[in-house]
Amino acid sequence: MLARLHSHAVLGMDAYPVAVETDLGRGLPAFNIVGLPDASVREAKERVRAGIINSEYEFPLRRITVNLAPADVRKEGPLFDLPIALSLLAASGQLDSRLLAEYGAVGELSLDGAVRRVSGVLSIAEGARRAGHRGLLVPKDNATEAALVKGVDVIGVASLRQATGFFMGTESLAPATVDAGALLRTAGPKGPDLADVKGQDRARRALEVCAAGGHNLLMVGPPGSGKTMLAHRLPSILPPLTIDEAIEVTRIYSVAGLLNGGPPVIANRPFRSPHHTISHAGLVGGGASPRPGEVSLAHLGVLFLDELPEFSRQALESLRQPIEDGRVSISRSLTSVTFPSRFMLVAGMNPCPCGYLGDPSRECACLPHKVISYRGRISGPMLDRIDVAVEVPALSKHEIMSDRGREDSAAVADRAAAARLVQSSRLKGSGAYFNAQMSISQTEKFCLLDGAAAALLESAIDRMGLSARAHHRILKVARTIADLDSAGVIRPEHLAEAVSYRGIDRRSWHGQ
C-alpha cells in the first residue's frame, strides 16, 4: 500500500516542498529511505521504528521504501522523522491516508515518540503557505515561531500519538497564535545606556550620526579608551525593529538553529561581535550545506569587529560584497544560496601594534615600518567602505573622575529616530529606508549642496585624493547630518563634519 504526505526542507533561506512517499511491499522485512538522504535522514529509520513501537502502534514487518521527492536534491536533518512516521502508519492502514492530504508535517522524533524542535520552521511555514496547504504540523516548541506566518494553520504537537490523534479526531488541537506586535512592545532593554560613557564627545556624536543614517563606523584609539564600550551602546540608540524586520531577522536565526526555545521572535536589533580568530566561512557563511554567517546574523543590526587588523585578510576582504550589496551569495557544486546581510559595520582598533601611537601619556614602542605594516592589513577598498572614522583618545584623569550628567540613550535615540523618519519618507517606495542604502542616482538626487558646500567638497577631493565611492559616502553622511539638523540642503558645516570623518584616508593611513 502507498501513502503520501507533504513536508518541506530548507535550502538557504527558503523552503521547498518535499513529498514523503511510503510504500509497503512484499519480501523480507527491510526499511530503506531513498531520495538523496544524508546520514541524519538515513538514521531516521531507527528513530521512527522506536517511536512507532513506543507510541503503542504496530510497526509493519514488510519491505518498507520511503522516497523523499524530488530525488535530485540532497535532504538533510531530522525534520522528516514525523512525516515518515505518519506516512508509514497511513500505508499500514493504522491512519486514514485521506486525512493527510491537506496538511504538511515536520519534526524530529525521540525514541519514546516525543516530537522535538527543528530548525528553519519559520521558512517552512512560509513554504507551506505558498504551497496552499491548509495546515502544518510542527513540534510544539516551534509552534509560536511558525505562527508568525499568517495564512496557514500551525498545529503544535508534542508526540506522535498526539499527531495521529489530531488526524483521527481524538485530539482537539487549536492552531497556534502569536501577537508579534505585543512581543516587540514588551521587549527588554536594547543594550547598555550611552550615559555610562564618560567624555568622548566626538565619538558619541559619530555614534549618533551612524545610528541616524545606518553608516559604517571605525573607531581608532589606545587600549582602554572606550571603543568597545561605545560599540556595545550603539543598539540602545538605534530605531526599534518593525514587525516585518523582526520576522526577517527571526527567519535567519530560525534557519541557523539559534532560537533555542527562547522568544519566538527576535525583538531587538542583533549585535554580533565575533572573535578575530573567526574563519572566513564563519564570518560570511558557508559549509558543505551553506549556513548563515555572522554577517547574516547581524542583518538589520550591528556587526562589531574589535581589533580589526587582527582578523585574517581573507575574512576582511570577504566583507566587501556584503557591505556593498546587502547580501552574500555562497556557491557550491550542487547549489547556490543567498543570505541577507544588510548590517552596520562597527570596528575598533589600536593606532599601532602596541596601541599607544599619539598617546600623550605613554610612549609608542613601534618602529615606523611596523605601524605601516599593521595598518596595511586593512586594504584601501575596505577603508573606502567606512563612512565614519573617528579617533577615541585616552581619557584624562579629570574626565575619568567626572560625575557630571551625561546625555542618555533615550534622548539620542529620539533624534536618530526622527532623522530616520525623514529618510524613510524621502526614500519611500525605492527599496531603501535610510541614507546609507541610497543608490548613486538617489545620492545625486537627494544630497543637494549649496554653493559653499560644493566648493568645500571639491577642495576635499583634491586634497585627500578621495575615490568616487568615498565621495558618495561623504555625501550620504552629510545628508544624515543635515537631517539631524532638520535642514533641506546640505550646508558647509554639514559637509565639513562629514569630511572630518574621512580624516583616516588611504594616503595618510598607509604612510604615503
Side-chain angles (χ1 to χ4, degrees), residues 201-202 204-210 387-389 456 474 477-478 480-482 484-485 490-503:
D201 292 340
R202 180 168 170 77
R204 287 170 60 102
R205 170 63 175 176
L207 217 64
E208 178 179 342
V209 170
C210 291
D387 303 303
V388 174
L456 179 60
I474 285 176
V477 174
T480 298
I481 296 168
L484 286 168
D485 200 21
I490 298 173
R491 299 195 295 265
E493 60 268 27
H494 305 141
L495 188 69
E497 183 178 350
V499 170
S500 73
Y501 294 135
R502 303 292 306 195

Side-chain angles (χ1 to χ4, degrees), residues 112-131:
D112 63 356
V115 181
R116 294 173 172 162
R117 65 179 298 113
V118 293
S119 301
V121 166
L122 190 53
S123 292
I124 290 171
E126 177 63 28
R129 185 193 63 79
R130 289 198 306 268

